[in-house]
Amino acid sequence: MEYAVLGAFVGANFLAALSGAIFPPGAWYATLAKPAWRPPDWLFGPAWSVLYTANAVAGWLVWKADGGTAPLVVYGVSLVFNAGWSAIFFGLRRMDWAFYWLIGLWLSVAATILAFAPHSQTAVWLLAPYLAWVTFAGALNRAIWRLNAGARSGDFGG
C-alpha cells in the first residue's frame, strides 16, 4: 500500500511537470534577451526531474508519518502553483504575471516546508533545494522580464 501511495505522489508531480511539456519554451523564448548567468537550457530538465522526485518523496514521507490532511493540502497548492508557471510564462507569454505567480509558488513551497517540519525533517531537507531553485527561478524570471521590458508577448512572433 505505501508504495502505491508513493506512486500517487510521483504521479501528482508528473502531472505538475506536464505543464512544462504542454507549454515548452520554444522559439519565442529563444528570442528573448537573457542574463549571462542563466544556466544552459539542457540543465532545466534534469534539475526539475530531481526536484520533482524529491518533492514526491517528501510528500510521501509526511503521509507515512501520518502528518494529517493540512500539510498535504498545502503541498497540493504548491503543485498547482508549480504547474501554472509554465502556462503563464511560456503559454501566455506573460513574464510579468509569471513573476508574480512565482512569488506564490515560493510562498507555497515555504509553507509546505513549514507544514512538513513537525512530521519529517527528511522531507524538509528534500524540499530545501526546491525552495532554492524556485528562488533562483524567480530571479531569472525577473531578469528576463526586465531585459525584455519594452516587448509584449506578440512582439516575439509565434
Side-chain angles (χ1 to χ4, degrees), residues 3-20:
Y3 292 108
V5 173
L6 175 59
F9 278 100
V10 169
N13 278 269
F14 177 78
L15 288 174
L18 274 179
S19 177

Side-chain angles (χ1 to χ4, degrees), residues 23-109:
F23 302 102
W28 169 77
Y29 180 72
T31 67
L32 297 175
K34 297 170 202 75
W37 48 268
R38 177 186 61 91
D41 290 341
W42 64 263
L43 181 64
F44 289 88
W48 275 111
S49 295
V50 169
L51 294 171
Y52 280 123
T53 301
N55 196 39
V57 172
W60 178 67
L61 288 172
V62 169
W63 172 83
K64 274 185 51 170
D66 196 20
T69 304
L72 298 178
V73 168
V74 175
Y75 176 87
V77 169
S78 75
L79 285 176
V80 171
F81 271 102
N82 183 298
W85 185 86
S86 292
I88 296 167
F89 191 95
F90 298 120
L92 297 176
R93 299 178 181 178
R94 292 299 307 249
M95 296 172 273
D96 52 350
W97 294 356
F99 176 73
Y100 296 117
W101 187 266
L102 208 133
I103 292 170
L105 173 58
W106 191 95
L107 290 170
S108 71
V109 173

Side-chain angles (χ1 to χ4, degrees), residues 129-145:
Y130 183 24
L131 188 62
W133 185 263
V134 171
T135 302
F136 174 76
L140 182 58
N141 185 149
R142 178 78 171 124
I144 293 171
W145 175 24

Side-chain angles (χ1 to χ4, degrees), residues 28 93 95 148-156:
W28 169 77
R93 299 178 181 178
M95 296 172 273
N148 297 278
R152 291 191 315 269
S153 54
D155 295 336
F156 295 100

